Amino acid sequence: MTILEKMLERCAQAGYDTTKNVEKIAKAKQMMFGEEEWQRCPCDGKNAARYCISETCRQDIERDGECHCHCYCKKSK
């Protein structure tokens, strides 16, 4: 499973949508972290509390409508 597929799966399980940036972010994750650490946030990679659909990510989405990386967002109504 590719990083993009993993990101899409996790997003769907959490009940969120993705933005148009999801493919760019998946490529950045591949270049920066590789398969082993694909969950890490390319915009805040040193913060262990911020990763794909983490509690920190969820709080960003609920408060701002999108996560820190502008990758995941609330489902449109």
Coordinates of all heavy atoms in Angstrom, one line a residue:
M1 N 0.8 -1.2 0.0 CA 0.0 0.0 0.0 C 0.9 1.2 0.0 O 1.8 1.3 0.8 CB -0.9 0.0 1.2 CG -2.0 1.0 1.3 SD -3.0 1.0 2.7 CE -4.1 -0.4 2.4
T2 N 0.6 2.2 -0.9 CA 1.4 3.4 -1.0 C 1.0 4.3 0.2 O 0.0 4.2 0.9 CB 1.1 4.2 -2.3 OG1 -0.2 4.7 -2.2 CG2 1.3 3.3 -3.5
I3 N 1.9 5.3 0.4 CA 1.6 6.3 1.4 C 0.3 7.0 1.2 O -0.5 7.2 2.1 CB 2.8 7.4 1.5 CG1 4.0 6.6 2.1 CG2 2.4 8.6 2.4 CD1 5.3 7.5 2.2
L4 N 0.0 7.4 -0.1 CA -1.2 8.1 -0.4 C -2.4 7.2 -0.1 O -3.4 7.6 0.5 CB -1.3 8.4 -1.9 CG -2.6 9.0 -2.4 CD1 -2.9 10.3 -1.7 CD2 -2.5 9.3 -3.9
E5 N -2.3 5.9 -0.4 CA -3.4 5.0 -0.1 C -3.6 4.9 1.4 O -4.8 4.8 1.9 CB -3.1 3.6 -0.6 CG -3.2 3.5 -2.1 CD -2.7 2.2 -2.7 OE1 -1.8 1.6 -2.1 OE2 -3.1 1.9 -3.8
K6 N -2.5 4.9 2.2 CA -2.6 4.8 3.7 C -3.3 6.1 4.2 O -4.1 6.0 5.1 CB -1.2 4.6 4.3 CG -0.6 3.3 4.0 CD 0.8 3.2 4.6 CE 1.5 1.9 4.2 NZ 2.8 1.9 4.7
M7 N -2.9 7.2 3.6 CA -3.5 8.5 4.1 C -5.0 8.5 3.8 O -5.8 9.0 4.6 CB -2.8 9.6 3.4 CG -1.3 9.8 3.8 SD -0.4 11.1 2.8 CE -1.3 12.6 3.2
L8 N -5.4 8.1 2.6 CA -6.8 8.1 2.2 C -7.6 7.1 3.1 O -8.7 7.5 3.5 CB -6.9 7.7 0.7 CG -6.3 8.7 -0.3 CD1 -6.4 8.1 -1.7 CD2 -7.0 10.0 -0.2
E9 N -7.0 6.0 3.4 CA -7.7 5.0 4.2 C -7.9 5.6 5.6 O -9.0 5.5 6.2 CB -6.9 3.7 4.3 CG -7.6 2.7 5.2 CD -6.8 1.4 5.2 OE1 -5.7 1.4 5.8 OE2 -7.2 0.4 4.5
R10 N -6.9 6.2 6.2 CA -7.0 6.7 7.6 C -8.0 7.9 7.6 O -8.7 8.0 8.5 CB -5.6 7.2 8.0 CG -5.7 7.7 9.4 CD -4.5 7.7 10.2 NE -4.0 6.4 10.5 CZ -2.8 6.2 11.0 NH1 -2.0 7.2 11.3 NH2 -2.3 5.0 11.2
C11 N -8.0 8.7 6.6 CA -8.9 9.8 6.5 C -10.3 9.3 6.4 O -11.2 9.8 7.1 CB -8.6 10.6 5.2 SG -9.6 12.0 4.9
A12 N -10.6 8.3 5.6 CA -12.0 7.8 5.5 C -12.4 7.2 6.8 O -13.6 7.4 7.2 CB -12.0 6.7 4.4
Q13 N -11.5 6.5 7.5 CA -11.9 5.8 8.8 C -12.2 6.9 9.8 O -13.0 6.7 10.7 CB -10.7 5.0 9.3 CG -10.5 3.7 8.5 CD -9.3 2.9 8.9 OE1 -8.4 3.5 9.6 NE2 -9.1 1.7 8.4
A14 N -11.6 8.0 9.7 CA -11.8 9.1 10.7 C -13.0 10.0 10.4 O -13.5 10.8 11.2 CB -10.6 10.0 10.8
G15 N -13.5 9.8 9.1 CA -14.7 10.5 8.8 C -14.4 11.9 8.2 O -15.3 12.8 8.2
Y16 N -13.2 12.1 7.7 CA -12.9 13.4 7.1 C -12.7 13.3 5.6 O -12.8 12.2 5.0 CB -11.6 13.9 7.7 CG -11.6 14.3 9.2 CD1 -10.8 13.6 10.1 CD2 -12.5 15.2 9.7 CE1 -10.9 13.9 11.5 CE2 -12.6 15.5 11.0 CZ -11.8 14.8 11.9 OH -11.9 15.1 13.2
D17 N -12.6 14.4 4.9 CA -12.2 14.5 3.5 C -10.8 14.9 3.4 O -10.2 15.4 4.3 CB -13.1 15.5 2.8 CG -14.5 15.0 2.5 OD1 -14.7 13.8 2.4 OD2 -15.4 15.8 2.4
T18 N -10.3 14.8 2.1 CA -9.0 15.3 1.8 C -9.1 16.6 1.0 O -10.1 16.8 0.4 CB -8.1 14.3 1.0 OG1 -8.8 14.0 -0.2 CG2 -7.8 13.1 1.9
T19 N -8.1 17.4 1.0 CA -8.0 18.6 0.2 C -7.3 18.3 -1.1 O -6.7 17.2 -1.3 CB -7.3 19.8 0.9 OG1 -5.9 19.4 1.0 CG2 -7.9 20.0 2.3
K20 N -7.2 19.3 -2.0 CA -6.4 19.1 -3.2 C -4.9 18.8 -3.0 O -4.2 18.4 -3.9 CB -6.6 20.3 -4.1 CG -6.1 21.5 -3.6 CD -6.3 22.7 -4.5 CE -5.6 23.9 -3.8 NZ -5.8 25.1 -4.2
N21 N -4.4 19.1 -1.8 CA -3.0 18.9 -1.4 C -2.6 17.5 -1.1 O -1.4 17.3 -0.9 CB -2.7 19.9 -0.3 CG -2.9 21.3 -0.6 OD1 -2.7 21.7 -1.7 ND2 -3.2 22.1 0.4
V22 N -3.5 16.6 -1.0 CA -3.2 15.3 -0.4 C -2.1 14.6 -1.2 O -1.2 14.0 -0.6 CB -4.5 14.4 -0.3 CG1 -5.0 14.0 -1.6 CG2 -4.2 13.2 0.6
E23 N -2.1 14.6 -2.5 CA -1.1 14.0 -3.3 C 0.3 14.6 -3.2 O 1.3 13.9 -3.0 CB -1.5 13.9 -4.8 CG -2.6 13.0 -5.1 CD -3.0 12.8 -6.5 OE1 -2.1 12.8 -7.4 OE2 -4.2 12.7 -6.8
K24 N 0.3 15.9 -3.1 CA 1.6 16.6 -2.9 C 2.2 16.3 -1.5 O 3.4 16.1 -1.4 CB 1.4 18.2 -2.9 CG 1.5 18.8 -4.3 CD 1.6 20.3 -4.1 CE 0.4 20.9 -3.6 NZ 0.3 22.4 -3.7
I25 N 1.3 16.2 -0.5 CA 1.8 15.9 0.8 C 2.3 14.5 0.9 O 3.3 14.2 1.5 CB 0.7 16.2 1.9 CG1 0.5 17.8 1.9 CG2 1.1 15.7 3.2 CD1 -0.6 18.3 2.6
A26 N 1.6 13.5 0.2 CA 2.0 12.1 0.2 C 3.4 12.0 -0.4 O 4.3 11.3 0.1 CB 1.0 11.3 -0.6
K27 N 3.7 12.8 -1.5 CA 5.0 12.8 -2.1 C 6.0 13.4 -1.2 O 7.2 12.9 -1.1 CB 4.9 13.6 -3.5 CG 4.2 12.8 -4.6 CD 4.1 13.7 -5.8 CE 3.3 13.0 -6.9 NZ 3.1 13.8 -8.0
A28 N 5.7 14.4 -0.5 CA 6.6 15.0 0.4 C 7.0 14.1 1.6 O 8.1 13.9 2.0 CB 6.1 16.3 1.0
K29 N 6.0 13.4 2.1 CA 6.2 12.4 3.1 C 7.1 11.3 2.6 O 8.0 10.8 3.4 CB 4.9 11.8 3.6 CG 4.0 12.7 4.4 CD 2.6 12.0 4.6 CE 1.8 12.7 5.7 NZ 2.1 12.3 7.0
Q30 N 6.9 10.8 1.4 CA 7.8 9.8 0.8 C 9.2 10.3 0.8 O 10.2 9.5 1.1 CB 7.3 9.4 -0.6 CG 8.1 8.3 -1.3 CD 8.1 7.0 -0.5 OE1 7.0 6.5 -0.2 NE2 9.2 6.4 -0.2
M31 N 9.5 11.5 0.3 CA 10.8 12.0 0.2 C 11.5 12.3 1.5 O 12.6 12.0 1.7 CB 10.8 13.3 -0.6 CG 10.5 13.1 -2.1 SD 10.7 14.6 -3.2 CE 9.9 15.8 -2.3
M32 N 10.7 12.8 2.5 CA 11.2 13.2 3.8 C 11.4 12.1 4.7 O 12.4 12.0 5.5 CB 10.4 14.3 4.4 CG 10.4 15.6 3.6 SD 9.1 16.8 4.2 CE 9.9 17.2 5.8
F33 N 10.4 11.2 4.8 CA 10.3 10.2 5.8 C 10.3 8.7 5.3 O 10.7 7.8 6.1 CB 9.1 10.4 6.7 CG 8.9 11.8 7.2 CD1 7.7 12.4 6.9 CD2 9.8 12.4 7.9 CE1 7.5 13.7 7.3 CE2 9.7 13.7 8.4 CZ 8.5 14.4 8.1
G34 N 9.9 8.5 4.1 CA 9.8 7.1 3.6 C 8.6 6.3 4.2 O 7.9 6.9 5.0
E35 N 8.5 5.1 3.8 CA 7.4 4.2 4.3 C 7.4 4.0 5.8 O 6.3 3.9 6.4 CB 7.5 2.8 3.6 CG 7.4 2.9 2.1 CD 6.0 3.1 1.6 OE1 5.0 2.8 2.4 OE2 5.8 3.8 0.6
E36 N 8.6 3.9 6.4 CA 8.6 3.7 7.9 C 7.9 4.7 8.7 O 7.3 4.4 9.7 CB 10.1 3.5 8.3 CG 10.8 2.3 7.8 CD 10.3 1.1 8.5 OE1 10.1 1.1 9.8 OE2 10.0 0.1 7.8
E37 N 8.1 5.9 8.4 CA 7.5 7.0 9.2 C 6.6 7.9 8.4 O 6.5 9.1 8.6 CB 8.7 7.9 9.8 CG 9.6 7.1 10.6 CD 10.7 7.9 11.3 OE1 10.5 9.2 11.4 OE2 11.8 7.4 11.5
W38 N 5.8 7.3 7.6 CA 4.9 8.0 6.7 C 3.8 8.9 7.4 O 3.4 9.8 6.9 CB 4.1 7.0 5.8 CG 3.1 6.2 6.5 CD1 3.2 5.0 7.1 CD2 1.7 6.6 6.7 NE1 2.0 4.6 7.6 CE2 1.1 5.5 7.4 CE3 0.9 7.7 6.3 CZ2 -0.3 5.6 7.8 CZ3 -0.4 7.7 6.7 CH2 -1.0 6.7 7.4
Q39 N 3.5 8.5 8.7 CA 2.5 9.3 9.4 C 3.0 10.7 9.8 O 2.2 11.6 10.0 CB 2.1 8.6 10.7 CG 1.4 7.2 10.4 CD 1.1 6.6 11.7 OE1 0.1 6.9 12.3 NE2 1.9 5.6 12.1
R40 N 4.3 10.9 9.9 CA 4.8 12.2 10.4 C 4.3 13.3 9.5 O 4.1 13.2 8.3 CB 6.3 12.1 10.4 CG 6.9 11.3 11.5 CD 8.4 11.2 11.5 NE 9.0 12.5 11.6 CZ 10.3 12.7 11.5 NH1 11.1 11.7 11.1 NH2 10.8 13.9 11.6
C41 N 4.2 14.5 10.1 CA 3.7 15.7 9.5 C 4.9 16.4 8.8 O 5.9 16.8 9.5 CB 3.1 16.6 10.5 SG 2.5 18.2 9.9
P42 N 4.9 16.6 7.5 CA 6.0 17.2 6.8 C 6.1 18.7 7.2 O 7.2 19.3 7.0 CB 5.7 17.0 5.3 CG 4.2 16.8 5.2 CD 3.9 16.1 6.5
C43 N 5.0 19.3 7.7 CA 5.0 20.7 8.0 C 5.5 20.9 9.5 O 5.8 22.0 9.9 CB 3.6 21.3 7.9 SG 3.0 21.1 6.2
D44 N 5.5 19.9 10.3 CA 5.8 19.9 11.7 C 6.4 18.6 12.1 O 6.0 18.0 13.1 CB 4.5 20.2 12.5 CG 4.8 20.7 13.9 OD1 6.0 21.0 14.3 OD2 3.8 20.7 14.7
G45 N 7.5 18.2 11.4 CA 8.0 16.8 11.5 C 8.7 16.5 12.8 O 8.9 15.4 13.2
K46 N 9.1 17.5 13.6 CA 9.7 17.3 14.9 C 8.7 17.1 16.0 O 9.1 16.7 17.1 CB 10.7 18.4 15.2 CG 11.9 18.4 14.2 CD 13.0 19.3 14.7 CE 14.0 19.5 13.6 NZ 14.7 18.4 13.2
N47 N 7.5 17.4 15.8 CA 6.4 17.3 16.8 C 5.8 15.9 16.8 O 5.0 15.6 15.9 CB 5.4 18.4 16.5 CG 4.3 18.5 17.6 OD1 4.2 17.6 18.4 ND2 3.5 19.5 17.5
A48 N 6.2 15.1 17.8 CA 5.7 13.7 17.8 C 4.2 13.7 18.1 O 3.6 12.6 17.8 CB 6.4 13.0 18.9
A49 N 3.6 14.7 18.5 CA 2.1 14.7 18.8 C 1.3 15.0 17.5 O 0.1 14.9 17.5 CB 1.8 15.7 19.9
R50 N 2.0 15.5 16.5 CA 1.3 15.9 15.3 C 1.6 14.9 14.2 O 2.8 14.8 13.7 CB 1.6 17.3 14.8 CG 0.8 17.8 13.6 CD 1.3 19.1 13.1 NE 1.2 20.2 14.1 CZ 0.0 20.8 14.5 NH1 -1.1 20.5 14.0 NH2 0.1 21.8 15.4
Y51 N 0.7 14.1 13.8 CA 0.8 13.2 12.7 C -0.6 12.9 12.0 O -1.6 13.4 12.6 CB 1.5 11.8 13.1 CG 0.7 11.2 14.3 CD1 -0.3 10.3 14.0 CD2 1.0 11.5 15.6 CE1 -1.0 9.7 15.1 CE2 0.4 10.9 16.6 CZ -0.6 10.0 16.4 OH -1.3 9.3 17.4
C52 N -0.6 12.2 11.0 CA -1.9 12.0 10.2 C -3.0 11.5 11.2 O -2.9 10.4 11.7 CB -1.7 11.0 9.1 SG -0.9 11.8 7.7
I53 N -4.0 12.3 11.3 CA -5.2 12.0 12.1 C -4.9 11.8 13.5 O -5.6 11.0 14.2 CB -6.1 10.9 11.4 CG1 -6.3 11.1 9.9 CG2 -7.5 10.8 12.1 CD1 -7.0 12.3 9.5
S54 N -3.9 12.4 14.0 CA -3.6 12.4 15.5 C -4.7 13.2 16.2 O -5.4 14.0 15.6 CB -2.2 12.9 15.8 OG -2.2 14.3 15.4
E55 N -4.6 13.2 17.5 CA -5.6 14.1 18.3 C -5.3 15.5 18.0 O -6.2 16.3 17.8 CB -5.4 13.8 19.8 CG -6.4 14.5 20.6 CD -7.9 14.3 20.2 OE1 -8.2 13.1 19.9 OE2 -8.7 15.2 20.3
T56 N -4.0 15.9 17.8 CA -3.6 17.3 17.4 C -4.2 17.6 16.1 O -4.8 18.7 15.9 CB -2.1 17.4 17.4 OG1 -1.6 17.1 18.7 CG2 -1.7 18.8 17.1
C57 N -4.1 16.7 15.1 CA -4.7 16.9 13.8 C -6.2 17.1 13.8 O -6.7 18.0 13.2 CB -4.3 15.7 12.9 SG -4.8 15.8 11.2
R58 N -6.8 16.2 14.6 CA -8.3 16.3 14.7 C -8.7 17.6 15.3 O -9.7 18.2 14.9 CB -8.8 15.2 15.6 CG -8.7 13.8 15.0 CD -9.1 12.7 16.0 NE -8.8 11.4 15.5 CZ -9.7 10.6 14.9 NH1 -10.9 11.0 14.7 NH2 -9.3 9.4 14.5
Q59 N -8.0 18.1 16.3 CA -8.3 19.4 17.0 C -8.2 20.5 15.9 O -9.0 21.4 15.9 CB -7.4 19.7 18.2 CG -7.7 18.8 19.3 CD -6.7 18.9 20.4 OE1 -5.7 19.7 20.4 NE2 -6.8 18.1 21.5
D60 N -7.1 20.5 15.1 CA -7.0 21.5 14.0 C -8.2 21.5 13.1 O -8.7 22.5 12.8 CB -5.7 21.2 13.2 CG -4.4 21.4 14.0 OD1 -4.4 22.1 15.0 OD2 -3.4 20.9 13.5
I61 N -8.6 20.3 12.7 CA -9.7 20.1 11.7 C -11.0 20.6 12.3 O -11.7 21.4 11.7 CB -9.8 18.7 11.3 CG1 -8.6 18.2 10.5 CG2 -11.1 18.5 10.4 CD1 -8.5 16.7 10.3
E62 N -11.2 20.3 13.6 CA -12.5 20.7 14.2 C -12.5 22.2 14.5 O -13.5 22.8 14.3 CB -12.7 19.9 15.5 CG -13.0 18.4 15.3 CD -14.1 18.1 14.4 OE1 -15.2 18.8 14.5 OE2 -14.0 17.2 13.6
R63 N -11.4 22.8 14.8 CA -11.3 24.2 15.1 C -11.2 25.0 13.8 O -11.9 26.1 13.7 CB -10.1 24.5 16.0 CG -9.9 25.9 16.4 CD -8.6 26.2 17.1 NE -7.4 25.9 16.2 CZ -6.5 25.0 16.5 NH1 -6.5 24.3 17.7 NH2 -5.5 24.8 15.7
D64 N -10.3 24.6 12.9 CA -10.0 25.4 11.7 C -10.6 24.9 10.4 O -10.6 25.6 9.4 CB -8.5 25.5 11.5 CG -7.8 26.0 12.7 OD1 -8.3 26.8 13.5 OD2 -6.6 25.5 13.0
G65 N -11.2 23.8 10.4 CA -11.8 23.2 9.2 C -10.8 22.4 8.4 O -11.2 21.5 7.6
E66 N -9.5 22.5 8.6 CA -8.5 21.8 8.0 C -7.4 21.5 9.0 O -7.2 22.2 9.9 CB -7.9 22.6 6.8 CG -8.8 22.8 5.6 CD -8.0 23.4 4.5 OE1 -6.9 24.0 4.6 OE2 -8.6 23.4 3.4
C67 N -6.6 20.5 8.7 CA -5.4 20.2 9.5 C -4.3 21.2 9.2 O -4.3 22.0 8.3 CB -4.9 18.8 9.3 SG -4.1 18.4 7.7
H68 N -3.2 21.1 10.0 CA -2.1 22.0 9.9 C -1.5 22.0 8.5 O -1.0 23.1 8.0 CB -1.0 21.5 11.0 CG 0.2 22.3 11.0 ND1 0.3 23.5 11.6 CD2 1.5 22.0 10.6 CE1 1.5 24.0 11.5 NE2 2.3 23.1 10.9
C69 N -1.4 20.9 7.9 CA -0.8 20.7 6.5 C -1.8 21.1 5.4 O -1.4 21.0 4.2 CB -0.3 19.3 6.3 SG 1.1 18.8 7.2
H70 N -3.0 21.4 5.7 CA -4.0 21.6 4.7 C -4.2 20.4 3.8 O -4.4 20.5 2.6 CB -3.7 22.9 3.9 CG -3.5 24.1 4.7 ND1 -4.6 24.7 5.4 CD2 -2.4 24.7 5.0 CE1 -4.0 25.7 6.0 NE2 -2.7 25.8 5.9
C71 N -4.2 19.2 4.5 CA -4.3 17.9 3.8 C -5.7 17.3 4.0 O -6.4 16.8 3.1 CB -3.2 17.0 4.3 SG -3.3 15.4 3.5
Y72 N -6.1 17.3 5.3 CA -7.4 16.8 5.7 C -8.4 17.9 6.1 O -7.9 18.9 6.6 CB -7.3 15.8 6.9 CG -6.3 14.7 6.6 CD1 -5.0 14.7 7.3 CD2 -6.6 13.7 5.8 CE1 -4.1 13.7 7.1 CE2 -5.7 12.7 5.5 CZ -4.4 12.7 6.2 OH -3.5 11.7 6.0
C73 N -9.7 17.7 5.9 CA -10.6 18.7 6.2 C -12.0 18.0 6.6 O -12.2 16.8 6.4 CB -10.9 19.6 5.1 SG -11.5 18.8 3.6
K74 N -12.8 18.9 7.2 CA -14.2 18.4 7.6 C -14.9 18.0 6.3 O -14.7 18.6 5.3 CB -14.9 19.5 8.3 CG -14.5 19.8 9.7 CD -15.4 20.9 10.3 CE -15.0 21.1 11.7 NZ -15.9 22.2 12.3
K75 N -15.8 17.0 6.4 CA -16.6 16.7 5.3 C -17.5 17.8 4.9 O -18.0 18.5 5.8 CB -17.4 15.4 5.6 CG -16.7 14.1 5.5 CD -17.6 13.0 5.4 CE -16.9 11.7 5.2 NZ -16.5 11.4 3.9
S76 N -17.6 18.0 3.6 CA -18.5 19.1 3.2 C -20.0 18.6 3.3 O -20.2 17.4 3.1 CB -18.2 19.6 1.7 OG -17.8 18.5 1.0
K77 N -20.9 19.5 3.6 CA -22.2 19.1 3.8 C -23.0 19.1 2.5 O -22.8 19.7 1.6 CB -22.9 20.0 4.9 CG -22.2 19.8 6.2 CD -22.8 20.7 7.2 CE -22.1 20.5 8.5 NZ -22.6 21.3 9.6

